[in-house]
Each structure stands twice: as structure tokens, then as C-alpha cells.
Amino acid sequence: MPEVGKKVPRLKGHTGDGSELKLESLKGQWVVVYFYPKDSTPGCTTEAKDFRDLYAKFQQRHAQVIGVSRDSVKSHANFASKQELPFPLVSDHDEAWCQAFDVIHEKVLYGKRHMGVVRSTFLIDPEGRLVQEWRNVKVAGHAQAVLDAIPAR
């Protein structure tokens, strides 16, 4: 797991449009990597729409937003299309990204315990270092808080 101030791991994955995204290829700009449990669920849809609605402001700060979940490329394509998301969604089917950022933990849903993705966001600086992390994220106001953490130019 990357620590604040340290370089993030070299990761790659396929996005909803089928292309490969390499995290290291985004050096030179701010990168927001947000992990969410599942496409098309209420909280995850709200979070994605919040990042979508602020996307132009992220771009003004030279920041790329990337959503990551364990859903398939096809699921991501459908979700991104339906919600008109302008940023890539990485399919982490092998959990490489989730494990690298340590976001899979035991959760309880309706009294049942299971291993799941804990909603988390990571801000990476243009040199590829982790600057800030948010874990156990509450959706309301979160995308704005992440935007506010990126220095205005």
C-alpha cells in the first residue's frame, strides 16, 4: 500500500472502452483514483455523477479522474454510457489495484459479513506520489473535497 509522500505502484488495467490505462502514463498531471463497490448501485452512481459534474473543474486543475471497481469492462462501458461519464473506469477483475491500495476489507451488509471494496479515494501528484487519501468515504460532498485538495493554478 502506498504511503503519503511515496510513489504509487505501477498499475495498469482495461477501461470501459476496452483500452489499457497505465497509471504511470498520467505523470505530469494530478490523478484522482477513486474506488467504489459496484456499478449502477445508488451510492456509486451518485459518486460517479458528482465527479462527472465537477470534471471540467478537475480538468482546469490539470487533474485526471479514474474510477476503479471489480466490475467487468462491459459493465463499466454500460455504466459510463448511461451516466455520461467523461473519465475512465478501470476494471479491476484481478484486484491488483484494490490490493495495491488496500481497499478490500470485511464489510457487513444486512447482518452478513463479506469481503468488499471500501469506498476510498487517492490523490496523486504530478510526480506520481501519493498526496492524500480518503477512506470509508461518505459520498455527499466528497468529490468537491477532493477537488478542493488540488492546488488551483
Side-chain angles (χ1 to χ4, degrees), residues 119-139:
R119 195 179 308 278
S120 305
T121 303
F122 300 86
L123 179 60
I124 303 165
D125 74 10
E127 286 76 44
R129 288 184 195 85
L130 182 63
V131 175
Q132 192 166 347
E133 61 182 41
W134 294 263
R135 293 182 180 271
N136 296 308
V137 167
K138 302 296 181 224
V139 172

Side-chain angles (χ1 to χ4, degrees), residues 16-78:
D17 67 5
S19 64
E20 184 177 74
L21 184 143
K22 293 182 180 178
L23 194 52
E24 69 180 320
S25 72
L26 301 173
K27 274 191 177 175
Q29 61 187 312
W30 291 89
V31 179
V32 174
V33 179
Y34 81 93
F35 290 85
Y36 63 98
K38 187 133 183 74
D39 290 341
S40 300
T41 57
C44 297
T45 299
T46 299
E47 184 177 29
K49 289 164 76 174
D50 288 350
F51 277 111
R52 176 200 66 197
D53 294 348
L54 291 171
Y55 189 69
K57 292 181 179 181
F58 279 100
Q59 293 285 276
Q60 289 170 357
R61 295 194 184 178
H62 300 280
Q64 176 61 53
V65 175
I66 302 168
V68 181
S69 82
R70 299 182 294 180
D71 292 302
S72 69
V73 168
K74 182 173 176 35
S75 177
H76 281 342
N78 292 339

